Amino acid sequence: MIQRIFNAYNMQERNTEMISIDKTSDKSLYEQLYEQMKSEILNEHYAAGEKLPATRQLAAEHKLSRNTVVSAYNQLELEGYIRSVTGSGYYVENISAFSPDKKSRQSHNIQHSSRQSGKTFDYTFSYGNLDYNCYHSRAWRKCLTNAWDMISMADTASYQMSQGSYTLRSLITEYLYMSRGVNCTPEQIILTSGHQRSIDIITHIFSSSDYSFAMEDPGYNGTWEIVSQSPFRIIPIPLEDDGVSIEHIQRLRDTLLYVTPSHQFPMGSILPISKRLELIEWAVQSGSYIIEDDYDSELRYQSRPIPSLQSIDNSGRTIYLGTFSKSMSPDLRISYMVLPENLMKDYSSRYSHTNCTVPTVLQLALIEFIQSGNYQRHIGAMKNHYKKKHDYILNYVKQNLEDDVIMYGAGAGLHFVAEIKNSYLTQSELISAFEQKGIRIFSTEPFWIRKNLCPENQLLFGFSAIPYEKLPGAMKTFSKIIHSL
């Protein structure tokens, strides 16, 4: 026993000596530690099951802050290289299948991590994935466990009613009224397994022979991809600096108009109250309905949340769409819509015998999470996390790239649209220039219905997935590339 302890101690001492931190490097301390420890694990210098040095010990040995070590460990745990044991520490997972001599498997993983692009990247400005999500919350994980326990103690496993749990819909009703001013009853709320499922239901409530479908251009491609598979004719509506063009809408009748008024996707504009009132008046006069997608209303950083369009509509012409994908995690697949009372009969006639597509266990967990107050606390922590990244990027651009780059969409959400001034390159050429220097950034073309109108000098700049500790290196590299164009 003594010999095993001695050997383990020697192994830990030897492994920590392999770590070399260069505080003059452009790479952040967190990145250096994470990458070196990952390499040591892949090369099996740490054995499967071996306990890693305590965070305080490693921080002291290399004169790092404990937060730096914790961040590196958290990233390794997130990627599956290590696991944490409460009250004990961090242990190396069995990843022998990923070791360098298993080249075929390693090659497969590299292709997967770079989305089959053939190379890996130092920094990825993607949109949609969240580096901070509900799984960081012990309270949420406890709610999941409790939900499983509740199901296990039930006499039978049963289907959920088509609209979902009444208790959860009641909680959403209260939350929407307090946070967004939405006026509705639980009977008007329908839980769905994601935004696209909500859109699909809408296209089946209405008849394509009676209505057309209009949406912002550019706009959310996930919407028009679903609608394009239906018989509806899609009408693109141009954007102005303050949102969708009212002039182009006025001539439409019997139309389903999809808009993102509180944070236009992808450009980030806010629809002013004058336009909102005009939209509602148009809907009444033309026999149309407005589909209000309020996809990231919780994430406002520079002002109070803007009241929803639905909250000022007294005519029952607004269908409100919400989601937990941004405030919790996209993989939960929990969204909801609020139908006007005059459409509930149409919904019931088509879907009254359809089962809810949101798993019961998630509905039960979410009920407890909201009732306990932990949902609001989680939103506060999440908002602070993303505000730090949002503010860092904007301040960096203002100080170093003010004459070269315009960032659209500031003040809310998880992305910007970056406009590169004085660039004569195409989007694909710009993206290629970034990729050659280790940055993955994305085109805005997928969001345009009329592809020929997409500006060549605009790129989607998402910051929801890139760790805060990587932003200094990422923005410095971004700046060097811009100045070299």
Side-chain angles (χ1 to χ4, degrees), residues 132 298-301 376-392 463 468:
Y132 187 94
E298 294 88 359
L299 298 173
R300 293 210 67 82
Y301 310 125
Q376 283 286 36
R377 285 188 281 274
H378 167 73
I379 287 177
M382 189 180 209
K383 184 176 175 179
N384 288 337
H385 175 79
Y386 288 117
K387 184 179 187 299
K388 276 181 64 179
K389 294 201 281 187
H390 168 278
D391 292 352
Y392 183 91
F463 58 86
Y468 180 81

Side-chain angles (χ1 to χ4, degrees), residues 363-377:
Q363 294 188 53
L364 291 173
L366 192 52
I367 287 169
E368 182 183 345
F369 199 54
I370 295 172
Q371 287 178 331
S372 64
N374 282 305
Y375 178 61
Q376 283 286 36
R377 285 188 281 274

